[in-house]
Amino acid sequence: MLDHAARIALIPGDGAGPEVMAEAVPLLDWARARGRRLEVERLPYGADHYLATGETLPEAAYAALRDGCDAILFGAVGDPRVPDGRHAEEILLRLRQGLELMVNFRPCRPLPGLQREGLWLEVYRENTEGAYCLQGSTEPGRAVDLAVHTEPAVRRLLEAAFARARARSCPLTLAHKANVLKHGHGLWVRVFQELCAAHPGVTARGMHADALLCALVQDPSPFGVIAADNYLGDLISDLTAAFAGGMGTAPSLSWAPHRPFRCAVLAEPVHGSAPDIAGKGLANPVGMILSTALLFRHLGWESEALAVEAAVAAAMASGARTRDLGGSLSTSDMGTAIRGHLPG
Ligand code: ATP
C-alpha cells in the first residue's frame, strides 16, 4: 500500500482504446469517492498526437512518467494511418521495456453465462525481451529477427509464476521449444529446473509449446499457471482469452517485481486498438474494466478490486452483453450496466 496518493497516468491511445478507457475512468472517481487517495494525469500519446506533432513518447514525458507516477492505465495503440506501427512501438514497447515491466499477468476466468465457467487459467508472459526485442535486419532475400533472453528477466518472470502457483496450490507449466530454440529456451528450461528444485511443493513441468496448445484446446481444465516467453506468451494468452469470451473480456497487468523506478505497474486490456470496430461503440469494455480491478489490487485496494470484479460478474449474470458476446449493448451501455452493480 502506498503512503501517498497514487498518481495514475492515463494513456487512452488509439482506436477502441479511448472508448474502453472512458468506461474505466468512472471507476477511478468511484474509488476516490470511497476514500482511496489518487490523482490522475491524462496523456495524449497515440496516433493523433504523432500525426499532428511527430512525437511518439517524448523523452521528458517518459522521464516524468517513470519518476513522477506510480502506475499507468493504458488503452491500446495502433492505427492504420501509421502502417509501420512506429508510434505504437515507441510508446508501448518503450514503456514495457524502459520501466522493466517484465511480468505480464493475463488471467482467464470465464464470466457468468459464458462457456467454460469455472475455468481458472493464468498466463505469466515475459514482457520485455525474447523475439520482441526489436533487433534484426532485412537484406535482399534474407531477414533476421533476434530473440534475446537474459537470465534476470527469465528468473523474475519464473519466480512470479512459481509464487502464484504456490499461492493457488495449482500446477505450473512452462511453455517452451527448447528442442529447437536451444540457446534461448535452453536458458528458460535451465532456470525453470533450478526453481523446481527450490519449490518442491509446486507441481511444475515443462511442455513443448505446440503440444501445450493442442492439450489446451482439447481440455484446458487441468492447467493452472502457464509461464512463457514474450512470443509464446502472446500466442497462448490470446487462446486463453478465447476461452473466456474473446479479446474484449481479457485483462492484463504488467509489473516490475524489482521496482527499479517509481512507476512499476501498467494495466491494459489484452486486446489492441481494434481498428475494424473502433469508433462505433462496439468495443467490449470488460477487458479494460477488469484491468482496472487488477490495478486496484496491485495498489492494495482489494475491496475495490473485488467489488469491480463482482460488478462485472453481476452485469454478465443479468444478461448484459456487447455485440462480441452476442448482445446488443454499446461500449458505454455496458460500462453503465457494470457500474450499476457497484456498491456506493
Ligand atoms: P495487437 O497486435 O495490438 O494485440 P491485434 O492486431 O492482434 O492487436 P486487436 O486490436 O486486439 O488486434 O483485435 C483483434 C480482433 O479482436 C479484432 O477483430 C477486434 O475487432 C476484436 N476486438 C479487439 N478488442 C475488442 C473489444 N474490446 N471488444 C470486442 N472485440 C474486440
Side-chain angles (χ1 to χ4, degrees), residues 128-206:
T128 59
E129 47 183 50
Y132 294 4
C133 63
L134 303 178
Q135 294 177 39
S137 59
T138 302
E139 303 152 26
R142 185 179 140 88
V144 177
D145 286 308
L146 286 181
V148 178
H149 305 262
T150 68
E151 186 159 339
V154 171
R155 191 173 288 281
R156 285 193 181 110
L157 185 281
L158 288 178
E159 278 172 350
F162 269 92
R164 182 63 174 167
R166 196 177 52 233
R168 279 184 55 193
S169 302
C170 73
L172 168 64
T173 309
L174 169 68
H176 68 85
K177 283 291 285 179
N179 51 335
V180 280
L181 304 174
K182 293 184 189 301
H183 304 283
H185 285 195
L187 169 66
W188 277 85
V189 169
R190 182 171 60 72
V191 177
F192 185 72
Q193 285 170 345
E194 227 180 85
L195 292 176
C196 284
H199 296 87
V202 176
T203 305
R205 67 170 171 154

Side-chain angles (χ1 to χ4, degrees), residues 6-295:
R7 191 160 178 79
I8 302 175
L10 304 187
I11 305 182
D14 305 330
E19 289 177 84
V20 294
M21 181 67 83
E23 304 312 313
V25 170
L27 303 177
L28 302 176
D29 298 333
W30 167 80
R32 190 188 289 110
R34 285 168 56 93
R36 296 300 184 186
R37 293 168 58 220
L38 68 121
E39 295 162 4
V40 168
E41 182 180 2
R42 182 179 283 266
L43 299 175
Y45 305 111
D48 284 346
H49 184 81
Y50 173 58
L51 292 169
T53 65
E55 282 180 352
T56 53
L57 177 61
E59 193 51 39
Y62 167 71
L65 231 171
R66 181 190 60 199
D67 303 326
C69 286
D70 297 291
I72 302 169
L73 198 52
F74 197 92
V77 278
D79 189 299
R81 294 171 297 166
V82 189
D84 65 359
R86 178 170 169 240
H87 76 295
E89 207 172 88
E90 290 186 13
I91 298 170
L92 186 54
L93 294 192
R94 176 81 204 281
L95 289 172
R96 287 178 181 165
Q97 293 174 356
L99 300 174
E100 301 181 28
L101 305 173
M102 283 148 190
V103 180
N104 180 223
F105 170 65
R106 296 183 161 194
C108 158
R109 296 193 83 170
L111 293 159
L114 297 182
Q115 284 181 350
R116 301 184 195 274
E117 209 180 324
L119 182 67
W120 188 4
L121 291 179
E122 293 175 335
V123 177
Y124 277 70
R125 167 193 174 191
E126 200 291 318
N127 209 24
T128 59
E129 47 183 50
Y132 294 4
C133 63
L134 303 178
Q135 294 177 39
S137 59
T138 302
E139 303 152 26
R142 185 179 140 88
V144 177
D145 286 308
L146 286 181
V148 178
H149 305 262
T150 68
E151 186 159 339
V154 171
R155 191 173 288 281
R156 285 193 181 110
L157 185 281
L158 288 178
E159 278 172 350
F162 269 92
R164 182 63 174 167
R166 196 177 52 233
R168 279 184 55 193
S169 302
C170 73
L172 168 64
T173 309
L174 169 68
H176 68 85
K177 283 291 285 179
N179 51 335
V180 280
L181 304 174
K182 293 184 189 301
H183 304 283
H185 285 195
L187 169 66
W188 277 85
V189 169
R190 182 171 60 72
V191 177
F192 185 72
Q193 285 170 345
E194 227 180 85
L195 292 176
C196 284
H199 296 87
V202 176
T203 305
R205 67 170 171 154
M207 271 183 90
H208 290 157
D210 40 3
L212 170 64
L213 288 169
C214 182
L216 278 171
V217 169
Q218 285 173 329
D219 180 12
S221 61
F223 294 91
V225 172
I226 299 170
D229 79 349
N230 208 339
Y231 186 33
L232 292 179
D234 196 7
L235 305 184
I236 293 166
S237 60
D238 270 26
L239 173 65
T240 58
F243 292 148
M247 294 306 294
T249 61
S252 85
L253 190 77
S254 303
W255 68 91
H258 53 313
R259 299 192 62 89
F261 307 109
R262 174 173 170 185
C263 189
V265 60
L266 181 152
E268 60 175 325
V270 167
H271 66 76
S273 60
D276 52 334
I277 58 166
K280 300 174 185 160
L282 294 177
N284 189 337
V286 165
M288 182 82 238
I289 288 172
L290 291 177
S291 302
T292 310
L294 294 180
L295 179 60

